[in-house]
Amino acid sequence: MRKIFKIIAIIIGVLILIVLFLAGGLILYTSVAPSPDPKSYNEYWPENLTYAEADEIAVDLVSQMTFEEKLGQMTGDMSFLDIASGLTSVLVFEKIPIVASGENERLNIPPFTFTDGPRGVVVTEATAFPVAMARGATWDRDLEFQVGDAIGKEARAAGANYFGGVCINLLRHPAWGRAQETFGEDPWHLGKMGVSLINGVQQHNVMACAKHYALNSIEESRFKVDVSVDERTLREVYLPHFKMAVDADVASIMSAYNKVRGEFAGQNRYLLTDILRNEWNFEGFVTSDWLFGLRDGVKGVNAGLDIEMPLDQHYTPEELKPAIESGEISIDQIDEMVRRVVRTKLLYITNTDTQEYTDEILASEEHQQLALEVAEKSMVLLKNDDDFLPLSAGEIESLAVIGEIADSDHTGDRGSSGTHPPYIITMLKGLQDYSNGSFEVIFDDGTDIESARQAAERADAVVYVVGYKSEDEGEYITSGDPEVAPENQWGEGGDRPNLFLKPHDQNLLMESLPVNQNSVVTLIGGSGIMTNTWDQLTPSILMAWYPGMMGGEALANILFGKVNPSGKLPLSIPKDEEHLSFFQADIDSIHYGYYHGYTLLDKENNEPAYPFGFGLSYSNFEYSNLQLDKTRLAESDTLLVSVDVTNTGEMTGEEVVQLYIGFENSMVERPVKLLRGFEKERLNPRQTKTVSIPVAAKDLAWYNPDVKAWEVENMQYSVFIGGSSNWEALLQSDFTIQ
């Protein structure tokens, strides 16, 4: 009995502490001034500073700072009280705060005001776009630029000038929990889509942050895993997309939690200084991932990590002053880090705005329609036997919608990328709205399989909506203690245990699909889902990802043919998980090999269930007349590859033309083929377009670790072009670099 009373007393004590914490937060929330407006500092500085001018001013400002003021530029401003206020803002008022850091009123230095992403600005009432993986499936750089443009506008309207939502980590394996935050498995595709997002955001004087640098591809072990990788793999597979971001003048880079070759990425000098600054000439600032992104302040300074976020855990006088006195670090290093931070902030706040950024911009009608278009163009039609889709509203009297997720309003994980739109059109509501009474919509949540079978049996057609939720995959919100095993951490999300649907969903499909062959299975998730346990039971499968706030309307428009599907997989879905790279969620160390995804499937001659770049349409596209503007190139030349694409169907559609290069004559080990270009084209029925894609010879180089340089081989190359990475979909020609 005494033990029971002790447990009750502990519970009561914890509840009292929570109440006191939130009460204190409530007092702080109501008393703390709103985040400062960085643009209010414009009056102190000349308009449209050049880089040289901003740098000169930054040097002068650094010379006037005390040591504590310098650390104020190198750390986030949050404290325990700020965290209490922030949690109260979220839990009580459902308002997502903007995090301001680095303001110095004495010297008129503006703060940066941070908001996260990547599927929209993480503030209340902002637009929730489809997740980045879905947008990767559009293969549409112009559309992604428009998404970045909208996010930049909404960030400014919310009071932010720093956007942390450009996640360009490579999808090494589809089980990765945060796959939904990135664009796909291929470095070239990933980099091009990321650059479009960066350019769209930054045109509104919002600093974009590309993350997480580097080799972050396991979620549940992210705080402890040590990734080993050889130099060619690092340079050719895991860094090219970050180099593209740097070349696009991204304002900021966020380091990763994991170790790389024995050292945490946030204090890894080889990554942050030798490569990022000395080789790539990155001129922005580097920030740590939040809370556990830096473990040693001295190592962080020596590595070149400019800012520790969101508060000062290691960049403190107590940790850094003795290191300066002992000579472990120098004040010159500190000054250079602060100079980079101040220079970048000045460049962005002094740029002239092209418009006003009012509250009406948040989730505006224009942005809602953009979210709808992105959702429509992201959905991938994986199977459509006998042209089962599109459905005809005039030919059915009843439509069964089966699956709990069909009536769920989640838009992806609830971690740092969680969005809070003003409303969400669920899959069920989208279909109900489309019907508008023209046919009966029968909903069954699928929890009772017999009930679902009965609903399917009495309907003319069936739409199953199955897949994942934020509890199943996403950012793994934990205590972050590397000594605690993942299964003992608190939180949700994390990596998937496998690539199949959850057991109940699989059973639901296998038991219910046979009772009505007029069915389409709609898959919800942030990454690839294997279908081979049930896919022969249905004529049609549609991958919808997490399709954002307008997802239900987009689904209805696709299923009933108002919109022709045009999405293509940005990843490979295997027939057997053993055909992919080794993956384990709870792991202390791992080696990342040279091959993954389609390059590994090609190398080992394993046919995928659905290849990288694959996606069906209600139209058919034929490729012909492959032409090269030259067959012999110098290393400084660019090859122009052209092909005729014809829409042989009866419906206007969009096709993603993909160009791959083959390296079969290489003297070093290379992938069988690599993506090196893509264009999305809209074609009317019976229309033919000539699509031209340039390929620079320098982009075919391999990294020679012996001489620490990129080399272009003088040899014959193959060029492949078509509608997916599947060999049967590709035309081929050859050219030589000499």
Side-chain angles (χ1 to χ4, degrees):
M1 183 64 71
R2 183 179 298 174
K3 186 175 182 180
I4 293 174
F5 280 123
K6 185 177 181 180
I7 293 172
I8 294 173
I10 291 173
I11 293 172
I12 293 173
V14 170
L15 290 174
I16 290 172
L17 287 174
I18 292 173
V19 170
L20 290 174
F21 183 82
L22 291 176
L26 179 61
I27 294 171
L28 285 167
Y29 178 80
T30 55
S31 62
V32 172
S35 297
D37 177 12
K39 278 289 181 178
S40 67
Y41 282 85
N42 278 4
E43 62 184 284
Y44 302 107
W45 308 109
E47 192 174 17
N48 296 320
L49 288 172
T50 66
Y51 176 89
E53 291 168 341
D55 189 56
E56 183 179 356
I57 293 171
V59 170
D60 179 60
L61 289 171
V62 172
S63 71
Q64 300 178 53
M65 291 183 190
T66 65
F67 184 69
E68 285 71 21
E69 285 177 319
K70 293 175 183 178
L71 293 187
Q73 297 299 311
M74 294 167 53
T75 57
D77 293 348
M78 293 191 77
S79 65
F80 176 81
L81 297 179
D82 293 320
I83 293 172
S85 174
L87 284 176
T88 302
S89 173
V90 174
L91 298 176
V92 178
F93 296 101
E94 295 186 353
K95 298 290 185 182
I96 313 299
I98 298 293
V99 178
S101 292
E103 183 177 27
N104 185 318
E105 294 182 1
R106 182 179 78 85
L107 297 174
N108 298 320
I109 299 173
F112 61 71
T113 47
F114 179 89
T115 186
D116 220 322
R119 63 180 185 266
V121 179
V122 182
V123 297
T124 305
E125 303 290 299
T127 307
F129 291 97
V131 294
M133 186 63 71
R135 305 200 312 269
T138 70
W139 292 66
D140 193 327
R141 297 189 298 276
D142 293 338
L143 190 63
E144 186 61 18
F145 177 85
Q146 293 177 50
V147 171
D149 174 77
I151 286 174
K153 290 176 182 176
E154 294 200 11
R156 290 294 305 279
N161 73 338
Y162 185 27
F163 175 65
V166 185
C167 181
I168 51 172
N169 289 118
L170 184 97
L171 180 69
R172 177 179 170 271
H173 192 285
W176 177 38
R178 291 181 79 169
Q180 62 189 269
E181 294 188 44
T182 193
F183 294 103
E185 73 177 35
D186 179 83
W188 186 269
H189 169 265
L190 176 56
K192 295 298 183 182
M193 296 297 290
V195 165
S196 291
L197 179 60
I198 290 166
N199 290 339
V201 167
Q202 292 193 162
Q203 68 175 343
H204 293 289
N205 299 322
V206 175
M207 294 173 281
C209 177
K211 63 185 185 184
H212 309 81
Y213 182 72
L215 295 118
N216 174 30
S217 297
I218 303 174
E219 180 59 12
E220 293 179 26
S221 301
R222 59 181 169 157
F223 295 113
K224 65 175 182 177
V225 66
D226 185 4
V227 180
S228 65
V229 61
D230 66 55
E231 196 66 13
R232 280 195 64 197
T233 302
L234 177 68
R235 299 294 188 132
E236 295 180 32
V237 181
Y238 290 94
L239 294 188
H241 32 291
F242 283 102
K243 175 63 162 57
M244 290 184 191
V246 170
D247 290 344
D249 293 325
V250 69
S252 176
I253 297 286
M254 180 185 289
S255 62
Y257 286 127
N258 52 277
K259 295 178 183 177
V260 178
R261 297 173 177 167
E263 185 57 86
F264 286 106
Q267 52 202 47
N268 192 306
R269 181 175 176 83
Y270 185 61
L271 288 177
L272 300 185
T273 294
D274 295 350
I275 296 177
L276 187 60
R277 297 206 181 275
N278 295 345
E279 290 188 31
W280 296 354
N281 298 313
F282 175 61
E283 296 176 335
F285 61 85
V286 179
T287 176
S288 75
D289 206 341
W290 286 36
L291 288 177
F292 300 101
L294 180 65
R295 306 301 180 98
D296 185 307
V298 174
K299 286 185 176 182
V301 171
N302 280 325
L305 181 80
D306 299 314
I307 302 176
E308 179 186 19
M309 287 297 291
L311 69 164
D312 54 346
Q313 295 174 282
H314 296 284
Y315 280 177
T316 62
E318 294 77 17
E319 193 163 333
L320 297 187
K321 274 189 174 180
I324 293 173
E325 293 168 0
S326 67
E328 292 179 86
I329 59 174
S330 70
I331 195 66
D332 288 343
Q333 288 173 285
I334 299 289
D335 289 351
E336 181 60 26
M337 294 163 66
V338 177
R339 173 187 182 182
R340 293 193 289 255
V341 173
V342 173
R343 178 179 65 211
T344 306
K345 290 194 292 185
L346 288 175
L347 282 171
Y348 277 81
I349 67 107
T350 63
N351 279 343
T352 302
D353 287 334
T354 58
Q355 66 174 82
E356 295 288 326
Y357 299 97
T358 61
D359 289 345
E360 290 75 21
I361 291 174
L362 292 169
S364 65
E365 178 63 27
E366 177 186 356
H367 292 173
Q368 292 173 38
Q369 290 305 305
L370 178 60
L372 174 61
E373 180 182 1
V374 176
E376 291 168 345
K377 292 185 176 182
S378 71
M379 295 184 182
V380 182
L381 185 60
L382 296 176
K383 184 179 182 182
N384 195 27
D385 288 353
D386 300 322
D387 295 328
F388 173 71
L389 293 177
L391 300 171
S392 173
E395 295 180 2
I396 62 173
E397 295 183 359
S398 59
L399 178 73
V401 180
I402 298 175
E404 181 184 6
I405 296 178
D407 196 29
S408 172
D409 63 359
H410 70 288
T411 60
D413 88 345
R414 296 193 180 102
S416 59
S417 69
T419 48
H420 304 266
Y423 66 88
I424 295 169
I425 299 178
T426 67
M427 300 306 200
L428 176 61
K429 179 166 175 45
L431 291 166
Q432 289 172 331
D433 290 348
Y434 191 91
S435 165
N436 194 29
S438 63
F439 54 83
E440 180 187 9
V441 177
I442 305 163
F443 175 63
D444 188 287
D445 67 11
T447 54
D448 182 286
I449 293 179
E450 182 54 37
S451 173
R453 281 172 54 89
Q454 292 175 12
E457 197 167 21
R458 72 184 182 92
D460 294 325
V462 188
V463 177
Y464 292 88
V465 183
V466 292
Y468 291 90
K469 296 181 180 180
S470 59
E471 303 97 276
D472 308 311
E473 61 177 356
E475 184 169 6
Y476 195 51
I477 309 301
T478 72
S479 67
D481 186 345
E483 301 301 320
V484 178
E487 63 268 19
N488 296 324
Q489 302 274 16
W490 55 269
E492 63 174 18
D495 303 303
R496 292 185 195 167
N498 57 62
L499 301 184
F500 292 97
L501 290 171
K502 292 179 289 185
H504 177 80
D505 283 346
Q506 291 202 75
N507 291 336
L508 170 66
L509 295 179
M510 294 176 73
E511 293 292 327
S512 300
L513 282 170
V515 306
N516 192 332
Q517 292 296 302
N518 296 326
S519 64
V520 54
V521 177
T522 302
L523 300 174
I524 303 297
S527 183
I529 297 173
M530 292 179 63
T531 66
N532 53 8
T533 56
W534 50 265
D535 58 12
Q536 296 304 308
L537 301 176
T538 181
S540 190
I541 304 171
L542 183 72
M543 184 70 205
W545 316 102
Y546 295 110
M549 63 183 292
M550 306 296 289
E553 184 173 346
L555 176 67
N557 290 342
I558 292 283
L559 294 184
F560 286 94
K562 184 177 180 181
V563 171
N564 194 346
S566 63
K568 301 270 190 171
L569 289 174
L571 50 83
S572 306
I573 300 179
K575 291 183 175 180
D576 188 326
E577 284 191 77
E578 295 299 316
H579 295 166
L580 296 180
S581 304
F582 170 78
F583 184 89
Q584 184 176 317
D586 181 17
I587 195 166
D588 294 327
S589 62
I590 190 171
H591 179 75
Y592 283 5
Y594 187 57
Y595 298 96
H596 75 287
Y598 74 86
T599 64
L600 182 58
L601 292 167
D602 280 352
K603 178 180 184 293
E604 298 185 348
N605 198 28
N606 286 320
E607 183 182 2
Y610 303 105
F612 175 78
F614 173 80
L616 299 174
S617 169
Y618 297 152
S619 299
N620 294 306
F621 299 97
E622 291 185 357
Y623 288 73
S624 62
N625 195 28
L626 173 59
Q627 298 285 331
L628 311 184
D629 72 333
K630 57 180 77 73
T631 57
R632 295 187 179 274
L633 290 76
E635 292 182 15
S636 59
D637 285 344
T638 295
L639 175 70
L640 189 65
V641 182
S642 300
V643 69
D644 290 344
V645 183
T646 302
N647 180 353
T648 63
E650 302 298 328
M651 186 175 184
T652 296
E654 291 184 288
E655 171 69 343
V656 178
V657 181
Q658 302 161 43
L659 185 150
Y660 298 84
I661 298 295
F663 306 90
E664 60 269 28
N665 297 305
S666 177
M667 297 298 292
V668 296
E669 187 172 2
R670 303 290 300 269
V672 175
K673 65 178 183 292
L674 286 174
L675 182 73
R676 280 298 177 267
F678 57 94
E679 295 291 340
K680 193 163 192 175
E681 294 289 343
R682 183 179 180 86
L683 292 96
N684 295 323
R686 308 300 174 183
Q687 182 182 11
T688 297
K689 279 189 178 181
T690 299
V691 180
S692 298
I693 301 177
V695 182
K698 65 180 179 61
D699 290 330
L700 308 184
W702 68 287
Y703 187 81
N704 187 339
D706 294 333
V707 297
K708 299 181 180 180
W710 290 88
E711 295 183 355
V712 177
E713 291 185 276
N714 293 330
M715 66 176 190
Q716 185 180 71
Y717 295 79
S718 296
V719 58
F720 305 98
I721 198 163
S724 84
S725 65
N726 183 5
W727 291 110
E728 295 179 359
L730 298 169
L731 302 180
Q732 179 182 354
S733 188
D734 301 301
F735 64 94
T736 300
I737 296 178
Q738 55 184 191

